[in-house]
């Protein structure tokens, strides 16, 4: 690869102590050399903050932000994106796990096709990153606002964006009347952007984890599982 541009990884962590070991390994094992990792601990009440602080001492690429009060998924991710300094921004949710060349392959894909947004296919795994018998979610190669709204799926941990093209959209203006949670993918597609898909499975997702964005994935898992039962 001719040039290793800086890539920022953004994570919001809240009461996820049981996933932190695999999350840290997921980042540490990446074969892409020029990374920074912005982690926002959203006032966790378990040992998440202490564990993250110990990881920061081990890895100088980590920039840890500690919310004094719980600000929620929306505000925390919006803040993390606004603090990113990389040319590209990827997202790693604590319960998910990347294969070791996830960043390098997706970055190369974005360069090759001039993509502003991109996503990849993903598979489902248990707590120990063992594949579940539910298959994988093979994504559409191009997703815009219309087909995303109709149900085309993008797991946030597979999503990568070009910072220069989206930096003016963050932080997201807070509307006190708007009670809906921020969907980063939907928000950017409403700006007229299209996400290009890399069909390789580069992320493992844990659908059993209770997370505000997991409901959609759980529905996908149930659908795949039911289809497999019918085939049997």
């Amino acid at each position: 690869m001719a040039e290793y541009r800086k890539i920022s990884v953004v994570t919001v962590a809240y009461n996820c102590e049981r996933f932190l070991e695999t999350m840290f390994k997921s980042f540490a094992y990446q074969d892409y050399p020029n990374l920074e990792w912005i982690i926002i601990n959203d006032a966790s009440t378990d040992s998440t903050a202490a564990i993250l602080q110990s990881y920061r001492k081990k890895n100088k690429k980590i920039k840890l932000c500690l919310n004094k009060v719980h600000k929620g998924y929306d505000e925390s991710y919006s803040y993390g994106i606004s603090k990113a300094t990389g040319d590209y921004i990827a997202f790693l949710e604590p319960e998910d796990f990347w294969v070791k060349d996830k960043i390098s392959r997706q970055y190369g894909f974005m360069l090759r096709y001039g993509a502003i947004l991109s996503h990849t296919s993903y598979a489902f795994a248990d707590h120990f990153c063992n594949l579940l018998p539910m298959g994988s979610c093979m994504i559409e190669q191009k997703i815009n606002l219309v087909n995303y709204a109709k149900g085309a799926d993008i797991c946030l941990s597979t999503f990568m964006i070009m910072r220069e093209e989206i930096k003016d959209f963050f932080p997201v203006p807070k509307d006190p009347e708007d009670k809906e949670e921020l969907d980063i993918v939907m928000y950017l597609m409403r700006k007229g952007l299209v996400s290009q898909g890399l069909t390789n499975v580069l992320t493992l997702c844990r659908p059993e984890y209770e997370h505000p964005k997991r409901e959609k994935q759980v529905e996908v898992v149930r659908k795949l599982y039911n289809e497999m039962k019918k085939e049997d």
Side-chain angles (χ1 to χ4, degrees):
M1 194 173 294
E3 182 182 3
Y4 291 103
R5 297 181 185 175
K6 186 176 183 181
I7 296 176
S8 302
V9 178
V10 178
T11 294
V12 173
Y14 178 69
N15 288 353
C16 53
E17 56 185 11
R18 66 194 179 108
F19 295 118
L20 295 181
E21 181 180 359
T22 53
M23 180 187 76
F24 181 74
K25 288 180 179 178
S26 183
F27 178 86
Y29 290 169
Q30 289 302 299
D31 62 6
Y32 190 86
N34 192 8
L35 297 172
E36 72 170 359
W37 192 7
I38 300 169
I39 308 176
I40 297 93
N41 175 57
D42 194 18
S44 298
T45 57
D46 61 3
S47 59
T48 294
I51 296 171
L52 290 175
Q53 287 173 329
S54 69
Y55 286 156
R56 179 176 60 178
K57 294 177 182 178
K58 299 175 184 177
N59 193 319
K60 295 181 180 180
K61 295 179 180 180
I62 295 176
K63 298 179 180 179
L64 181 59
C65 305
L66 302 174
N67 289 349
K68 294 182 179 180
V69 297
H70 184 64
K71 295 184 178 181
Y73 181 93
D74 301 10
E75 189 172 344
S76 297
Y77 260 117
S78 181
Y79 176 78
I81 293 169
S82 68
K83 291 298 180 182
T85 61
D87 294 294
Y88 293 82
I89 303 173
F91 303 89
L92 177 59
E93 299 199 274
E95 66 278 12
D96 296 337
F97 189 88
W98 288 339
V99 301
K100 67 178 183 179
D101 58 351
K102 188 266 186 189
I103 291 291
S104 59
R105 291 179 72 175
Q106 193 167 6
Y107 169 65
F109 171 83
M110 294 185 74
L111 285 184
R112 188 160 60 249
Y113 293 101
I116 296 174
L117 313 179
S118 74
H119 58 284
T120 78
S121 297
Y122 57 93
F124 301 100
D126 62 17
H127 177 67
F128 301 100
C129 294
N130 299 310
L131 291 176
L132 295 174
M134 297 166 179
S136 57
C137 186
M138 304 306 291
I139 48 77
E140 298 180 30
Q141 291 187 330
K142 278 194 176 182
I143 298 180
N144 58 22
L145 179 59
V146 174
N147 51 9
Y148 184 72
K150 287 181 178 179
D153 192 37
I154 295 179
C155 169
L156 186 60
S157 290
T158 76
F159 198 47
M160 188 183 292
I161 58 184
M162 184 187 295
R163 187 174 70 91
E164 182 64 28
E165 298 295 330
I166 61 87
K167 64 181 182 180
D168 293 338
F169 303 144
F170 294 93
V172 179
K174 190 68 176 176
D175 182 356
E177 301 298 321
D178 187 2
K179 302 302 181 182
E180 290 188 11
E181 293 175 348
L182 174 67
D183 182 328
I184 296 171
V185 178
M186 177 76 80
Y187 173 70
L188 290 173
M189 288 183 178
R190 282 177 174 165
K191 305 296 184 183
L193 300 176
V194 175
S195 184
Q196 298 192 46
L198 177 60
T199 56
N200 303 82
V201 174
L202 301 178
T203 299
L204 300 181
C205 297
R206 297 185 177 106
E208 80 282 3
Y209 180 54
E210 294 180 2
H211 188 283
K213 302 299 178 186
R214 278 289 172 266
E215 184 177 348
K216 190 173 183 181
Q217 285 191 22
V218 172
E219 289 176 1
V220 173
V221 172
R222 287 175 181 155
K223 183 179 179 182
L224 286 168
Y225 186 67
N226 289 334
E227 289 176 353
M228 289 173 66
K229 287 177 67 178
K230 288 178 182 178
E231 291 176 1
D232 293 338

